[in-house]
Amino acid sequence: MKVRVHHNGDDVFIAWKPDGFIARCRGFALLRRRNGVEEVVSTWVGFEGDQAADGERRASTNWPIQKYQWTDYMASPGDRLAYRVLAMVGPDKANLRPDPAACSSWTPEVTLSHIVEPGVEVLFNRGIVASQWVARRLGVTDHDLQNAALDKVIATPGDPLRDYLAGPLGARLTELLVSAAKQRRHVYAALYEFDDPELMAALLKLRKRAHVVLANGSVKKKGEDQNAEARGTLAATVDLHDRMCSPRALGHNKFLVVCDKDGTPRWVWTGSQNWTMTGLCTQANNSVLIDDPALAAEYRHQWDLLRDAGDATPQSLRDSNTTAHDHAVGAVGVRLWFTPTTEFADLDDARQIVADAQRAVLFLMFNPGSRDSLLNAIIDLSRTEHAAGRLYIRGVVNQDPSTTANPVQLFDQQNREKADYEVVLPAAIDTPTEFFRKEIKKLDRAFAMVHSKVILVDPLGPKPVVLTGSHNLGPKASNVNDENLLVIRDAPGLASAYATNIMAVYNQYRWRFRRHLQPPARRWKGLVDADGWQNGYLKPGGAALREIDFWVGA
């Protein structure tokens, strides 16, 4: 049995493939060796008809996994981990045992770390609130009560649920600010939104060593300010500069430069995560932290340009942005774009990267727009013949662009004729079942459920490419708004981390999204007490088998 493991420093994605159909197999058990101690991974759903207590988990030897991939959310940063997959066979669900002929060896041990390449860290939060563990933790099912409970949680620094939702991303950003204050470093931030109390407290401790360009968020009328409260709090303490450019444009950056003790730019933090309670806790977000003085100096220079521009976007700023900045961080190639650019220079560069995909494209998007976006480029790619075979394309889009005035053909059958293309929208379980509680659809104050803006090209190939930053991957982000976009090449550890995160978000929503499209009588009700569940996955020439082959490297 072939087994491959990927991780992002927090979660672990395991994929496997047996030699073929396994007679009497009811699924797979997954064993975990954590820091030298062997454990059986538990699962959350049982066989159809099983009576389960609310929130009950059972060992995967009892409730086996009836698919060929799994995300282990019970791992923790710093763990040393290895996995083994066992086929569970027997005449029925009550009499299962491992099949010695259909078991894998232990995988090579990995240590979970957010340092994925020398000088490069990648951080993710755990902001998927449409989930069973959040529903059970809140303890209520009424939508308004769920919102009120979650509102209180995310507004309370130190609350255990808030800390868990913010995850490694929230902890690392707070740590950066606290450490900078203790070591009397200067920081330079360009921010779109700001309302998080923990980040506010940490930033204020830097006093005049904190230099902030603060935009006014997204407003409908000139002079309105979504960040009025934060601006008032910061004004007397930090070095604050206003950029009130909305509604003409969005000052959409979320970057932070941390200087060395002598004031030289040293580290840069950027990504999709706004400095808000919802950005930390209730949306899927990502950030990277790069230790490279030359790259940090580019961001520091851009901060100066934004400060000097005030509320305007002068042609000089646009001209400066239209030239990409190429750097090497060790063996990793990094191209940096700031926007707005002239004639979509950044978007043209990114489109070519998508068009050059050889094997796969994975992505998470918030709202790329309905015309000429990189989502459109991916759809165009799915309709193109590739000599190497069908491309593997998986993604999640926060908003449905197929219902806009200029609809994107997100679910058109043409997208699947030449590629293994599957894209889903966020969804929640709206009616309870034997194994599931009703889930919170979204926090009323938060428009986004998936807020990351990430494209990953050929993650398992010799030349993976990651696109990430604040850039919404569409023409408005390119031509109107303040943004930053990183194109990171030749970083297999980074690609593996983003693949883990994208597939965790995709698999979280895939079943929920499809469930909404099915009539109640046809909805999944539990594991199948027979071996026929394998047929759909192992059909020769089928998309499911190609997906299995992709993840195990066949």
Side-chain angles (χ1 to χ4, degrees), residues 39 42 47 138 141 181 208 210 212 245 350 353 399 413 459 501 517:
E39 309 164 333
S42 294
F47 288 92
L138 293 176
T141 56
K208 294 300 182 181
V212 181
C245 52
I353 292 168
Q399 295 159 256
Q413 185 56 37
N501 177 251
L517 304 180

Side-chain angles (χ1 to χ4, degrees), residues 129 147 150-151 154 278 282 440-447:
V129 296
N147 267 266
L150 195 52
D151 251 338
I154 67 174
T278 54
T282 69
I440 188 170
K441 293 182 180 179
K442 66 176 182 178
L443 193 63
D444 284 345
R445 70 156 79 193
F447 188 53

Side-chain angles (χ1 to χ4, degrees), residues 367 369-370 398-411 425:
N367 182 15
S370 57
N398 185 73
Q399 295 159 256
D400 187 354
S402 66
T403 60
T404 61
N406 300 296
V408 177
Q409 300 306 314
L410 194 62
F411 306 112
L425 303 173

Side-chain angles (χ1 to χ4, degrees), residues 480-539:
V480 178
N481 298 338
D482 298 343
E483 306 278 7
N484 67 95
L485 175 66
L486 285 175
V487 180
I488 306 176
R489 299 177 182 272
D490 303 327
L494 184 73
S496 182
Y498 272 105
T500 300
N501 177 251
I502 292 170
M503 291 307 293
V505 177
Y506 170 79
N507 284 326
Q508 171 72 16
Y509 288 128
R510 173 182 174 271
W511 176 74
R512 287 163 171 79
F513 177 65
R514 289 185 173 184
R515 184 175 181 271
H516 281 283
L517 304 180
Q518 297 172 329
R522 294 188 57 194
R523 291 178 177 176
W524 185 87
K525 297 179 178 62
L527 302 176
V528 177
D529 189 14
D531 59 14
W533 67 270
Q534 301 170 82
N535 293 330
Y537 287 101
L538 301 179
K539 180 181 178 181

Side-chain angles (χ1 to χ4, degrees), residues 193-214:
E193 295 177 325
F194 195 2
D195 72 10
D196 185 73
E198 187 169 16
L199 295 180
M200 178 66 75
L203 191 67
L204 289 172
K205 288 180 180 179
L206 284 148
R207 303 188 66 79
K208 294 300 182 181
R209 293 187 305 279
H211 310 274
V212 181
V213 169
L214 183 61

Side-chain angles (χ1 to χ4, degrees), residues 354-434:
V354 171
D356 289 343
Q358 299 298 303
R359 186 67 186 87
V361 178
L362 311 178
F363 64 91
L364 301 175
M365 294 186 188
F366 170 52
N367 182 15
S370 57
R371 283 185 178 177
D372 302 322
S373 73
L374 295 186
L375 177 59
N376 297 101
I378 292 170
I379 292 173
D380 290 343
L381 182 71
S382 75
R383 300 179 177 192
T384 304
E385 293 279 3
H386 280 75
R390 296 170 68 92
L391 287 175
Y392 177 79
I393 299 175
R394 294 291 186 273
V396 186
V397 183
N398 185 73
Q399 295 159 256
D400 187 354
S402 66
T403 60
T404 61
N406 300 296
V408 177
Q409 300 306 314
L410 194 62
F411 306 112
D412 196 292
Q413 185 56 37
Q414 272 189 279
N415 303 347
R416 300 179 177 88
E417 291 175 358
K418 298 177 182 178
D420 292 332
Y421 168 102
E422 292 291 341
V423 176
V424 301
L425 303 173
I429 295 172
D430 53 0
T431 54
T433 72
E434 184 64 48

Side-chain angles (χ1 to χ4, degrees), residues 9-28:
D10 189 34
D11 302 326
V12 184
F13 178 67
I14 308 105
W16 59 89
K17 182 187 180 184
D19 287 338
F21 185 92
I22 302 171
R24 304 200 306 168
C25 178
R26 264 55 176 182
F28 298 94

